[in-house]
Amino acid sequence: MRAARLIKMVLLLQSRPAMTAAELAVELEVSERTVTRDAQALSEAGVPVYAERGRAGGYRLVGGYRTRLTGLARDEAEALFLSGLPSALREMGLEDAASAARLKVSAALLPSLRDASASAAQRFHLDAPSWYHEPQPPKLLPAVADAVWDDRLLRVRYRRGGGRAADRERTEVARELAPYGLVLKAGVWYLCARVGDDFRVYRIDRFTSVEPADERFERDEGFDLPAFWEERATAFARSLLRTEVTVRVSESGARQLAYTGDRAAAAAALAEAAPAGPDGWRTLALPVESLDVAYSQLLSLGPELEVVAPQELRSRFTEAAERLRELYR
């Protein structure tokens, strides 16, 4: 533990002109007294750590000293490629590995390039969860992530979604999975795994237990995680659109339609629709998840959309329009 801390201290001093004892204590998560002892130990071991006293003082390396202890461990190298996803790293338990990797890379760079990471961080940040959503990372995520990195089989119990809570309890199933990859979609974690000869997708927050097996699986090197996810996500989105409604939209309504529901379905419906009439309105057949979902989504377009069919949905819009008229009279 102390050896790793001493190495980290050298790398920190190598990547910056100087650091105070307080700054080193924060980075190393120790007391300032421990920093002083560690600096003395490094000096006795031949590392030229120089302490400057006074208000502007601190620790620095003398004579441009550079250590060659910058080789990345495997987990650090893997975590480095995810360093643009700090929340994902934290939830998978890889935050420390990523921090060590960034530090080693920074220490290996020329002095003129050492601010590259800070410069990039000031200019780009990825916020994965959707708006108005407080993500709750699944408790079993770190164990699943370890198995993914290690190509280790997982024995899991999984609670199927849909239906009433009592029914979901009865449909809990046991599976042995070959965990291929993790996907973070709008704040929700998914596992892409092979079961037998099939590849499937599981929501990690529905795992009730996870047990890594002793044996590893042989990964299919031809498996393309982004392509697999895109295919499954597209197929899943289309499978939800089980109902079709006929609507008329104004020019403004046509532009807003993509923001009310499935973007791809809206674009396809507009592409297949006949040209607009003299009044600028277009009639189109729009796939939707259900009439209830269509009501809540399409009502937001207000007077820019008219429901033509089915009559059940048109009646609900008529009632809503009458209630609004009474409200604003």
PDB file of all heavy atoms in Angstrom, residues 216-235:
ATOM      1  N   ARG A 216     -13.887 -19.427 -17.239  1.00  0.00           N
ATOM      2  CA  ARG A 216     -14.038 -18.310 -18.169  1.00  0.00           C
ATOM      3  C   ARG A 216     -14.647 -18.821 -19.470  1.00  0.00           C
ATOM      4  O   ARG A 216     -14.644 -20.017 -19.744  1.00  0.00           O
ATOM      5  CB  ARG A 216     -12.692 -17.657 -18.447  1.00  0.00           C
ATOM      6  CG  ARG A 216     -12.104 -16.898 -17.262  1.00  0.00           C
ATOM      7  CD  ARG A 216     -10.773 -16.256 -17.637  1.00  0.00           C
ATOM      8  NE  ARG A 216     -10.312 -15.345 -16.606  1.00  0.00           N
ATOM      9  CZ  ARG A 216      -9.591 -15.718 -15.560  1.00  0.00           C
ATOM     10  NH1 ARG A 216      -9.265 -17.006 -15.402  1.00  0.00           N
ATOM     11  NH2 ARG A 216      -9.201 -14.828 -14.655  1.00  0.00           N
ATOM     12  N   PHE A 217     -15.165 -17.898 -20.278  1.00  0.00           N
ATOM     13  CA  PHE A 217     -15.706 -18.280 -21.579  1.00  0.00           C
ATOM     14  C   PHE A 217     -14.789 -17.758 -22.679  1.00  0.00           C
ATOM     15  O   PHE A 217     -14.015 -16.815 -22.465  1.00  0.00           O
ATOM     16  CB  PHE A 217     -17.125 -17.730 -21.759  1.00  0.00           C
ATOM     17  CG  PHE A 217     -17.212 -16.222 -21.800  1.00  0.00           C
ATOM     18  CD1 PHE A 217     -17.128 -15.526 -23.007  1.00  0.00           C
ATOM     19  CD2 PHE A 217     -17.391 -15.484 -20.628  1.00  0.00           C
ATOM     20  CE1 PHE A 217     -17.221 -14.142 -23.047  1.00  0.00           C
ATOM     21  CE2 PHE A 217     -17.486 -14.098 -20.657  1.00  0.00           C
ATOM     22  CZ  PHE A 217     -17.400 -13.431 -21.873  1.00  0.00           C
ATOM     23  N   GLU A 218     -14.870 -18.383 -23.832  1.00  0.00           N
ATOM     24  CA  GLU A 218     -14.064 -17.959 -24.978  1.00  0.00           C
ATOM     25  C   GLU A 218     -14.866 -16.932 -25.769  1.00  0.00           C
ATOM     26  O   GLU A 218     -15.913 -17.223 -26.325  1.00  0.00           O
ATOM     27  CB  GLU A 218     -13.710 -19.152 -25.865  1.00  0.00           C
ATOM     28  CG  GLU A 218     -12.760 -18.793 -27.001  1.00  0.00           C
ATOM     29  CD  GLU A 218     -12.325 -20.011 -27.792  1.00  0.00           C
ATOM     30  OE1 GLU A 218     -12.554 -21.142 -27.315  1.00  0.00           O
ATOM     31  OE2 GLU A 218     -11.757 -19.829 -28.892  1.00  0.00           O
ATOM     32  N   ARG A 219     -14.357 -15.728 -25.784  1.00  0.00           N
ATOM     33  CA  ARG A 219     -15.064 -14.615 -26.423  1.00  0.00           C
ATOM     34  C   ARG A 219     -14.990 -14.727 -27.947  1.00  0.00           C
ATOM     35  O   ARG A 219     -13.935 -15.018 -28.519  1.00  0.00           O
ATOM     36  CB  ARG A 219     -14.446 -13.297 -25.964  1.00  0.00           C
ATOM     37  CG  ARG A 219     -15.040 -12.043 -26.594  1.00  0.00           C
ATOM     38  CD  ARG A 219     -14.409 -10.809 -26.000  1.00  0.00           C
ATOM     39  NE  ARG A 219     -14.869 -10.605 -24.625  1.00  0.00           N
ATOM     40  CZ  ARG A 219     -15.927  -9.884 -24.294  1.00  0.00           C
ATOM     41  NH1 ARG A 219     -16.641  -9.293 -25.256  1.00  0.00           N
ATOM     42  NH2 ARG A 219     -16.284  -9.740 -23.040  1.00  0.00           N
ATOM     43  N   ASP A 220     -16.120 -14.473 -28.589  1.00  0.00           N
ATOM     44  CA  ASP A 220     -16.176 -14.386 -30.042  1.00  0.00           C
ATOM     45  C   ASP A 220     -15.607 -13.029 -30.446  1.00  0.00           C
ATOM     46  O   ASP A 220     -16.241 -11.995 -30.232  1.00  0.00           O
ATOM     47  CB  ASP A 220     -17.622 -14.535 -30.523  1.00  0.00           C
ATOM     48  CG  ASP A 220     -17.754 -14.421 -32.036  1.00  0.00           C
ATOM     49  OD1 ASP A 220     -16.727 -14.250 -32.712  1.00  0.00           O
ATOM     50  OD2 ASP A 220     -18.889 -14.495 -32.537  1.00  0.00           O
ATOM     51  N   GLU A 221     -14.403 -13.019 -31.014  1.00  0.00           N
ATOM     52  CA  GLU A 221     -13.739 -11.765 -31.334  1.00  0.00           C
ATOM     53  C   GLU A 221     -14.453 -10.986 -32.423  1.00  0.00           C
ATOM     54  O   GLU A 221     -14.191  -9.799 -32.623  1.00  0.00           O
ATOM     55  CB  GLU A 221     -12.283 -12.030 -31.743  1.00  0.00           C
ATOM     56  CG  GLU A 221     -11.424 -12.629 -30.638  1.00  0.00           C
ATOM     57  CD  GLU A 221     -11.358 -11.757 -29.394  1.00  0.00           C
ATOM     58  OE1 GLU A 221     -11.476 -10.525 -29.525  1.00  0.00           O
ATOM     59  OE2 GLU A 221     -11.219 -12.310 -28.284  1.00  0.00           O
ATOM     60  N   GLY A 222     -15.371 -11.629 -33.139  1.00  0.00           N
ATOM     61  CA  GLY A 222     -16.119 -10.929 -34.172  1.00  0.00           C
ATOM     62  C   GLY A 222     -17.333 -10.192 -33.633  1.00  0.00           C
ATOM     63  O   GLY A 222     -18.010  -9.487 -34.387  1.00  0.00           O
ATOM     64  N   PHE A 223     -17.610 -10.339 -32.334  1.00  0.00           N
ATOM     65  CA  PHE A 223     -18.768  -9.674 -31.747  1.00  0.00           C
ATOM     66  C   PHE A 223     -18.543  -8.171 -31.711  1.00  0.00           C
ATOM     67  O   PHE A 223     -17.543  -7.683 -31.176  1.00  0.00           O
ATOM     68  CB  PHE A 223     -19.014 -10.200 -30.335  1.00  0.00           C
ATOM     69  CG  PHE A 223     -20.157  -9.533 -29.621  1.00  0.00           C
ATOM     70  CD1 PHE A 223     -21.461  -9.845 -29.937  1.00  0.00           C
ATOM     71  CD2 PHE A 223     -19.915  -8.582 -28.626  1.00  0.00           C
ATOM     72  CE1 PHE A 223     -22.524  -9.230 -29.279  1.00  0.00           C
ATOM     73  CE2 PHE A 223     -20.965  -7.971 -27.970  1.00  0.00           C
ATOM     74  CZ  PHE A 223     -22.275  -8.295 -28.301  1.00  0.00           C
ATOM     75  N   ASP A 224     -19.471  -7.416 -32.281  1.00  0.00           N
ATOM     76  CA  ASP A 224     -19.389  -5.954 -32.355  1.00  0.00           C
ATOM     77  C   ASP A 224     -20.458  -5.380 -31.431  1.00  0.00           C
ATOM     78  O   ASP A 224     -21.642  -5.361 -31.781  1.00  0.00           O
ATOM     79  CB  ASP A 224     -19.607  -5.493 -33.802  1.00  0.00           C
ATOM     80  CG  ASP A 224     -19.396  -3.996 -33.985  1.00  0.00           C
ATOM     81  OD1 ASP A 224     -19.600  -3.241 -33.018  1.00  0.00           O
ATOM     82  OD2 ASP A 224     -19.024  -3.589 -35.107  1.00  0.00           O
ATOM     83  N   LEU A 225     -20.053  -4.923 -30.253  1.00  0.00           N
ATOM     84  CA  LEU A 225     -21.020  -4.460 -29.250  1.00  0.00           C
ATOM     85  C   LEU A 225     -21.855  -3.278 -29.745  1.00  0.00           C
ATOM     86  O   LEU A 225     -23.084  -3.308 -29.625  1.00  0.00           O
ATOM     87  CB  LEU A 225     -20.299  -4.108 -27.945  1.00  0.00           C
ATOM     88  CG  LEU A 225     -21.190  -3.581 -26.803  1.00  0.00           C
ATOM     89  CD1 LEU A 225     -22.238  -4.612 -26.418  1.00  0.00           C
ATOM     90  CD2 LEU A 225     -20.334  -3.200 -25.599  1.00  0.00           C
ATOM     91  N   PRO A 226     -21.264  -2.198 -30.304  1.00  0.00           N
ATOM     92  CA  PRO A 226     -22.100  -1.082 -30.775  1.00  0.00           C
ATOM     93  C   PRO A 226     -23.104  -1.501 -31.842  1.00  0.00           C
ATOM     94  O   PRO A 226     -24.264  -1.075 -31.809  1.00  0.00           O
ATOM     95  CB  PRO A 226     -21.074  -0.080 -31.333  1.00  0.00           C
ATOM     96  CG  PRO A 226     -19.809  -0.408 -30.613  1.00  0.00           C
ATOM     97  CD  PRO A 226     -19.826  -1.887 -30.429  1.00  0.00           C
ATOM     98  N   ALA A 227     -22.673  -2.348 -32.797  1.00  0.00           N
ATOM     99  CA  ALA A 227     -23.574  -2.788 -33.866  1.00  0.00           C
ATOM    100  C   ALA A 227     -24.690  -3.668 -33.301  1.00  0.00           C
ATOM    101  O   ALA A 227     -25.861  -3.543 -33.700  1.00  0.00           O
ATOM    102  CB  ALA A 227     -22.794  -3.548 -34.934  1.00  0.00           C
ATOM    103  N   PHE A 228     -24.347  -4.560 -32.366  1.00  0.00           N
ATOM    104  CA  PHE A 228     -25.350  -5.422 -31.747  1.00  0.00           C
ATOM    105  C   PHE A 228     -26.380  -4.590 -30.997  1.00  0.00           C
ATOM    106  O   PHE A 228     -27.595  -4.806 -31.118  1.00  0.00           O
ATOM    107  CB  PHE A 228     -24.668  -6.402 -30.789  1.00  0.00           C
ATOM    108  CG  PHE A 228     -25.622  -7.182 -29.921  1.00  0.00           C
ATOM    109  CD1 PHE A 228     -26.304  -8.278 -30.422  1.00  0.00           C
ATOM    110  CD2 PHE A 228     -25.839  -6.808 -28.599  1.00  0.00           C
ATOM    111  CE1 PHE A 228     -27.191  -8.987 -29.629  1.00  0.00           C
ATOM    112  CE2 PHE A 228     -26.721  -7.513 -27.796  1.00  0.00           C
ATOM    113  CZ  PHE A 228     -27.396  -8.604 -28.310  1.00  0.00           C
ATOM    114  N   TRP A 229     -25.910  -3.617 -30.227  1.00  0.00           N
ATOM    115  CA  TRP A 229     -26.835  -2.794 -29.448  1.00  0.00           C
ATOM    116  C   TRP A 229     -27.744  -1.985 -30.362  1.00  0.00           C
ATOM    117  O   TRP A 229     -28.944  -1.869 -30.099  1.00  0.00           O
ATOM    118  CB  TRP A 229     -26.065  -1.874 -28.507  1.00  0.00           C
ATOM    119  CG  TRP A 229     -26.981  -0.942 -27.785  1.00  0.00           C
ATOM    120  CD1 TRP A 229     -27.221   0.374 -28.050  1.00  0.00           C
ATOM    121  CD2 TRP A 229     -27.848  -1.283 -26.688  1.00  0.00           C
ATOM    122  NE1 TRP A 229     -28.157   0.884 -27.190  1.00  0.00           N
ATOM    123  CE2 TRP A 229     -28.563  -0.107 -26.342  1.00  0.00           C
ATOM    124  CE3 TRP A 229     -28.072  -2.450 -25.962  1.00  0.00           C
ATOM    125  CZ2 TRP A 229     -29.483  -0.088 -25.301  1.00  0.00           C
ATOM    126  CZ3 TRP A 229     -29.003  -2.427 -24.936  1.00  0.00           C
ATOM    127  CH2 TRP A 229     -29.696  -1.261 -24.611  1.00  0.00           C
ATOM    128  N   GLU A 230     -27.192  -1.396 -31.399  1.00  0.00           N
ATOM    129  CA  GLU A 230     -28.000  -0.596 -32.316  1.00  0.00           C
ATOM    130  C   GLU A 230     -29.103  -1.439 -32.952  1.00  0.00           C
ATOM    131  O   GLU A 230     -30.258  -1.008 -33.050  1.00  0.00           O
ATOM    132  CB  GLU A 230     -27.114   0.016 -33.406  1.00  0.00           C
ATOM    133  CG  GLU A 230     -27.890   0.902 -34.376  1.00  0.00           C
ATOM    134  CD  GLU A 230     -26.996   1.539 -35.417  1.00  0.00           C
ATOM    135  OE1 GLU A 230     -25.779   1.240 -35.436  1.00  0.00           O
ATOM    136  OE2 GLU A 230     -27.508   2.335 -36.224  1.00  0.00           O
ATOM    137  N   GLU A 231     -28.743  -2.671 -33.345  1.00  0.00           N
ATOM    138  CA  GLU A 231     -29.731  -3.561 -33.965  1.00  0.00           C
ATOM    139  C   GLU A 231     -30.834  -3.923 -32.978  1.00  0.00           C
ATOM    140  O   GLU A 231     -32.029  -3.847 -33.299  1.00  0.00           O
ATOM    141  CB  GLU A 231     -29.042  -4.826 -34.467  1.00  0.00           C
ATOM    142  CG  GLU A 231     -29.979  -5.853 -35.064  1.00  0.00           C
ATOM    143  CD  GLU A 231     -29.278  -7.152 -35.403  1.00  0.00           C
ATOM    144  OE1 GLU A 231     -28.033  -7.170 -35.453  1.00  0.00           O
ATOM    145  OE2 GLU A 231     -29.976  -8.160 -35.609  1.00  0.00           O
ATOM    146  N   ARG A 232     -30.443  -4.309 -31.754  1.00  0.00           N
ATOM    147  CA  ARG A 232     -31.441  -4.709 -30.766  1.00  0.00           C
ATOM    148  C   ARG A 232     -32.281  -3.516 -30.306  1.00  0.00           C
ATOM    149  O   ARG A 232     -33.488  -3.653 -30.096  1.00  0.00           O
ATOM    150  CB  ARG A 232     -30.746  -5.363 -29.568  1.00  0.00           C
ATOM    151  CG  ARG A 232     -30.188  -6.739 -29.859  1.00  0.00           C
ATOM    152  CD  ARG A 232     -31.276  -7.700 -30.334  1.00  0.00           C
ATOM    153  NE  ARG A 232     -30.753  -8.979 -30.717  1.00  0.00           N
ATOM    154  CZ  ARG A 232     -30.648 -10.025 -29.892  1.00  0.00           C
ATOM    155  NH1 ARG A 232     -31.030  -9.915 -28.628  1.00  0.00           N
ATOM    156  NH2 ARG A 232     -30.168 -11.170 -30.332  1.00  0.00           N
ATOM    157  N   ALA A 233     -31.660  -2.369 -30.126  1.00  0.00           N
ATOM    158  CA  ALA A 233     -32.398  -1.196 -29.670  1.00  0.00           C
ATOM    159  C   ALA A 233     -33.425  -0.763 -30.719  1.00  0.00           C
ATOM    160  O   ALA A 233     -34.566  -0.408 -30.386  1.00  0.00           O
ATOM    161  CB  ALA A 233     -31.437  -0.050 -29.367  1.00  0.00           C
ATOM    162  N   THR A 234     -33.033  -0.819 -31.989  1.00  0.00           N
ATOM    163  CA  THR A 234     -33.953  -0.455 -33.064  1.00  0.00           C
ATOM    164  C   THR A 234     -35.119  -1.436 -33.128  1.00  0.00           C
ATOM    165  O   THR A 234     -36.282  -1.038 -33.262  1.00  0.00           O
ATOM    166  CB  THR A 234     -33.219  -0.425 -34.413  1.00  0.00           C
ATOM    167  OG1 THR A 234     -32.156   0.526 -34.353  1.00  0.00           O
ATOM    168  CG2 THR A 234     -34.160  -0.047 -35.541  1.00  0.00           C
ATOM    169  N   ALA A 235     -34.793  -2.733 -33.025  1.00  0.00           N
ATOM    170  CA  ALA A 235     -35.841  -3.753 -33.063  1.00  0.00           C
ATOM    171  C   ALA A 235     -36.788  -3.614 -31.872  1.00  0.00           C
ATOM    172  O   ALA A 235     -38.009  -3.770 -31.996  1.00  0.00           O
ATOM    173  CB  ALA A 235     -35.209  -5.148 -33.080  1.00  0.00           C
TER     174      ALA A 235
END
